[in-house]
Amino acid sequence: MNNHVRELRGGQGWSQADLAERLEVSRQTVNAIETGKYDPSLPLAFKIAKLFARPIEAIFEPGE
């Protein structure tokens, strides 16, 4: 799965630790999502979408 989490986080001026705190996950989880090593659970994906005020489809895209 491809995602735009890194770009959205950067646009807010947040570090990975800042985003992790807002999402109540570890910084390592944020890093794994951004690098595509981990696909978030559906509840976490909804939380990310809500935080950035975007639809899930605007943040996450199916990979190849």
Side-chain angles (χ1 to χ4, degrees), residues 35-57:
T35 58
K37 294 179 180 171
Y38 172 74
D39 291 336
S41 65
L42 194 52
L44 181 54
F46 273 108
K47 205 170 186 180
I48 292 167
K50 183 176 181 181
L51 181 65
F52 290 114
R54 306 236 173 155
I56 288 177
E57 300 85 9

